[in-house]
Amino acid sequence: MAEKQASFGLKLLSLWTVFYVLLLSGCGTGSNYAPIEDRSKIPFSFNKHHIVSRGETLYSIAWRYDLDARGLAATNHIAAPYLIRPGDKVLLNDQAKVTSAVTGSAPSAVPRLPKASRKSAVASTTKQTVSYKEATSVTLPKGYPFRWQWPAKGRVIKSFRGTAPQHKGIDLHGVLREPVLAANSGTVVYAGSGLAGYGKLIIVKHGESYLSAYAHNSKLLVNEGQLIKVGQKIAEMGDSGTSTNHVKLHFEIRRDGKPVNPESLLPKRR
């Protein structure tokens, strides 16, 4: 009887060993390219913080978590031009109602007061602050028109899918080192390769509400803080970071931090 129990135990142990090995081998397969849908595996929560790494900007952090950079700055009391340093802790919440977009100074918190005087204190503070979503004016130098155009001439090979948040833009077919053009005039707020799944990426700020992004480039031709004009060559197309290993441009537009269908803003093609 003891021998039968020992034999059964060995067989059970062997089955578990085989299952574990198969599980590990399954996790190790696949190409070295990061799929376009895999933006970030870090679970999001309004109660979590992000520790700033070298090369990150407040705009790239906001982009990573689908947040509005202005609201993120207001929450963390970061004044324009939203400078952050490696090691800083950023609270991942863009729901703050005040901003420095108009005043140029960081918002101050309403002090905690007894209930009797709290309402009057909040009313007084509200008169001196502005909702960040109200600051939507577009101010550009003369000769820098505000209009949308296609960032590349290739056809759309993957469309925006509002019901599939893992694909937040469109893919345009291209050839290696084909010019990537600015889809609108604005300021470069991120140029680097620190966002997983995007390869070499450029993010451009257009006024207070809109941002556009150009991913999987082989070469970046602009720097952070640089003012660019619609139609200007800002990068060269590549294939980095994609699961298909095809040359393409992944293009996104966000309004107030949320993805919108780029084709709803771009001119109709003939």
Side-chain angles (χ1 to χ4, degrees):
M1 185 66 180
E3 291 180 357
K4 289 183 178 181
Q5 290 179 341
S7 176
F8 177 76
L10 287 174
K11 288 181 180 179
L12 185 61
L13 180 60
S14 298
L15 287 174
W16 274 109
T17 302
V18 171
F19 174 77
Y20 184 68
V21 170
L22 289 174
L23 181 63
L24 288 179
S25 62
C27 293
T29 59
S31 72
N32 292 326
Y33 291 101
I36 186 65
E37 290 81 9
D38 184 18
R39 297 296 185 238
S40 173
K41 293 183 178 179
I42 299 177
F44 173 75
S45 168
F46 279 129
N47 296 320
K48 292 200 172 186
H49 291 81
H50 177 91
I51 305 300
V52 179
S53 298
R54 183 180 179 86
E56 288 185 315
T57 68
L58 193 71
Y59 286 95
S60 69
I61 294 171
W63 193 278
R64 180 177 184 178
Y65 296 101
D66 292 349
L67 299 173
D68 189 320
R70 295 163 297 166
L72 195 62
T75 296
N76 291 276
H77 304 282
I78 302 174
Y82 307 156
L83 299 180
I84 54 177
R85 297 170 296 179
D88 286 351
K89 182 183 290 186
V90 177
L91 176 62
L92 298 177
N93 189 325
D94 65 352
Q95 301 303 306
K97 299 301 181 184
V98 293
T99 186
S100 57
V102 176
T103 63
S105 60
S108 57
V110 178
R112 297 188 65 84
L113 300 170
K115 291 183 179 180
S117 57
R118 190 175 299 166
K119 178 182 285 189
S120 59
V122 172
S124 175
T125 304
T126 304
K127 293 179 181 179
Q128 303 173 19
T129 59
V130 180
S131 169
Y132 69 82
K133 290 188 178 181
E134 293 176 4
T136 57
S137 61
V138 177
T139 304
L140 292 168
K142 186 176 180 179
Y144 284 77
F146 186 86
R147 68 169 185 268
W148 294 101
Q149 75 159 47
W150 287 83
K153 61 183 180 181
R155 70 184 188 279
V156 177
I157 56 177
K158 195 168 187 179
S159 300
F160 177 85
R161 291 176 291 174
T163 57
Q166 68 271 23
H167 192 77
K168 302 169 185 176
I170 60 176
D171 290 347
L172 300 174
H173 179 269
V175 296
L176 191 62
R177 291 186 290 277
E178 177 183 337
V180 175
L181 310 177
N184 206 337
S185 301
T187 304
V188 179
V189 293
Y190 180 78
S193 55
L195 272 73
Y198 282 94
K200 292 183 178 179
L201 171 70
I202 293 173
I203 301 177
V204 180
K205 178 177 180 285
H206 312 283
E208 293 299 331
S209 292
Y210 288 97
L211 295 171
S212 63
Y214 314 75
H216 308 308
N217 303 289
S218 61
K219 185 178 182 180
L220 306 183
L221 304 176
V222 293
N223 300 311
E224 289 173 12
Q226 182 176 339
L227 182 66
I228 59 175
K229 186 183 296 186
V230 57
Q232 178 178 335
K233 181 179 178 181
I234 59 175
E236 294 180 354
M237 207 175 292
D239 61 5
S240 63
T242 69
S243 57
T244 58
N245 199 23
H246 291 162
V247 176
K248 64 182 179 182
L249 172 67
H250 179 72
F251 177 66
E252 297 184 21
I253 295 178
R254 302 207 180 169
R255 181 174 55 232
D256 296 330
K258 305 306 178 186
V260 298
N261 185 354
E263 293 188 80
S264 68
L265 294 172
L266 297 173
K268 299 295 183 182
R269 282 181 163 176
R270 296 179 180 178

